[in-house]
Amino acid sequence: MPFDIDPRLLRAFTAVAEELHFTRAAARLYVAQQALSRDIRRLEREVGTALFVRTTRQVALTADGERLLPYARRVLSAHEDLAAAFRPVPERPLLVDVGVPIGTAHRVLEDARERVPDSCELVARFHSGLTGAAAELAAGRLDVSFGRYAGLPPAVRSGLAHQPVRLEPMAVLLREDHPLAARPEVPLAELVGETLYAAAGNPQTEEWTELAARLFAGRGIAMAEPFPEIEGSREFVRVVRKRGWSVLASVEFIDVPGMVLRPVVDPVPLSPLSMVWRRDLHHPGLTALRAAVHELARKNEWLTVPEDAWLPREDAAAMGVSVGEGEGEGEGEGVRGR
């Protein structure tokens, strides 16, 4: 009796012994029936005895086949235990907050998923607001989020790391019958007298509301009154349509029936989007996300500052971009690109 029987032969034998049918056993092992028959004949040669009695109607185990079966099962079980002992431990799922299932953050997530093996799971969460996410990141209940990093308090930023992703041009969401809806672009000066919703009253998105307040300051644009947090895109659409709001947004935004999205120009206000995580986080999913950000930002020129742009100075510094030393923009002291 040899002592180096190939486990594949034992696996073939066990499948036939349990199925007592070569066609079913071959299907179970995802091999051709001819290959399975060859493996059984080879095993019989190695052990020096017939293991099956074959007729045109049935397959049955011989006495030696009956004797071999429990040994074969124990060997295969030990073989699987050995493989499992040295199999890489699957990484825990990485929880990534992308806000909504469209736009920049979601594109980064989809690209990163193509870079990791199936054993590495990147799980999406659809909550908005980096202010709220920062607390979840610090507590370890969330791994990665996206948003305006410079809008977080310094004490919060000290425990977080970030990677600039994109300078997203802002846009305004208008009712289809709004006087400005017919324009392909909306000059910022044309929004004088308008009231725009910018998530005031939502404690999860304070960094976005504060950015909007800087943009509106000194321009005659009013902030819509505070409103409780609106969770989920369907509820957002319902509330916006019911209240008839115009909304400050970015150029990649969810569709709202009966409303149109128009880029804001002269200047182009920029929303600085970073990917943010805990400083002590190490995970292959994070490595893939960072590589995706690097490649997508390079390919799409996401960090290029338009000639006529508005961006607060501290945001420009956090994003690692240069802007012109233009005239300060109201209380927000935004600067204009050149």
Side-chain angles (χ1 to χ4, degrees):
M1 171 76 73
F3 294 96
D4 58 351
I5 296 175
D6 188 338
R8 187 187 84 252
L9 304 183
L10 294 177
R11 199 169 291 112
F13 164 72
T14 303
V16 177
E18 292 174 351
E19 298 290 343
L20 294 178
H21 195 285
F22 273 77
T23 301
R24 290 197 298 268
R28 170 173 153 181
L29 296 173
Y30 300 100
V31 299
Q33 185 175 336
Q34 295 88 340
L36 178 63
S37 295
R38 284 197 301 270
D39 283 345
I40 295 299
R41 287 195 298 269
R42 178 182 165 189
L43 179 61
E44 289 177 326
R45 287 195 303 270
E46 292 195 9
V47 298
T49 186
L51 300 172
F52 295 99
V53 176
R54 307 168 181 82
T55 69
T56 56
R57 293 190 175 185
Q58 67 177 7
V59 175
L61 282 164
T62 65
D64 284 329
E66 293 277 7
R67 189 160 60 95
L68 176 60
L69 183 57
Y71 291 102
R73 284 172 170 159
R74 288 202 294 271
V75 169
L76 291 176
S77 177
H79 190 267
E80 178 56 31
D81 289 344
L82 175 63
F86 289 90
R87 189 175 297 137
V89 177
E91 294 284 350
R92 67 170 181 82
L94 197 75
L95 185 57
V96 184
D97 200 338
V98 295
V100 291
I102 63 167
T104 302
H106 193 257
R107 287 169 66 182
V108 169
L109 176 62
E110 290 297 296
D111 187 283
R113 282 173 170 165
E114 297 295 322
R115 299 172 183 266
V116 295
D118 289 341
S119 60
C120 183
E121 188 67 64
L122 302 179
V123 180
R125 194 183 80 165
F126 304 104
H127 293 178
S128 295
L130 186 58
T131 301
E136 299 289 294
L137 292 170
R141 293 187 293 268
L142 177 67
D143 295 306
V144 179
S145 189
F146 292 81
R148 182 188 169 220
Y149 179 74
L152 298 175
V156 174
R157 294 201 303 267
S158 66
L160 302 174
H162 84 113
Q163 182 173 346
V165 178
R166 184 178 182 184
L167 297 168
E168 290 189 321
M170 293 189 195
V172 62
L173 190 68
L174 303 166
R175 299 184 312 277
E176 288 180 337
D177 60 354
H178 192 283
L180 297 174
R183 296 195 176 193
E185 300 174 327
V186 175
L188 189 59
E190 294 296 318
L191 293 173
V192 171
E194 294 287 333
T195 298
L196 301 183
Y197 173 73
N202 181 357
Q204 308 298 314
T205 57
E206 289 179 355
E207 79 289 343
W208 170 254
T209 303
E210 195 268 341
L211 182 66
R214 290 187 177 214
L215 179 64
F216 297 169
R219 289 191 166 90
I221 305 172
M223 181 86 66
E225 62 186 20
F227 194 85
E229 177 185 359
I230 306 170
E231 186 166 343
S233 56
R234 292 184 63 179
E235 185 66 2
F236 178 84
V237 169
R238 185 192 70 81
V239 173
V240 166
R241 293 188 64 185
K242 180 177 180 179
R243 300 183 72 87
W245 283 333
S246 296
V247 179
L248 184 69
S250 67
V251 291
E252 293 194 36
F253 201 69
I254 59 173
D255 289 330
V256 178
M259 302 188 77
V260 296
L261 189 68
R262 296 291 181 257
V264 177
V265 295
D266 301 328
V268 176
L270 298 176
S271 171
L273 186 73
S274 286
M275 186 171 73
V276 185
W277 64 93
R278 290 187 315 280
R279 288 190 182 276
D280 62 352
L281 177 63
H282 300 281
H283 194 286
L286 176 61
T287 302
L289 285 163
R290 297 196 66 182
V293 167
H294 176 78
E295 181 60 23
L296 288 170
R298 181 196 61 80
K299 183 169 62 176
N300 296 290
E301 299 183 338
W302 279 349
L303 295 173
T304 299
V305 181
E307 288 187 4
D308 186 21
W310 177 92
L311 184 67
R313 288 186 176 90
E314 60 267 40
D315 286 283
M319 298 296 285
V321 298
S322 298
V323 291
E325 293 297 329
E327 179 182 355
E329 300 293 325
E331 295 179 7
E333 293 185 348
V335 292
R336 299 280 288 269
R338 303 193 270 210

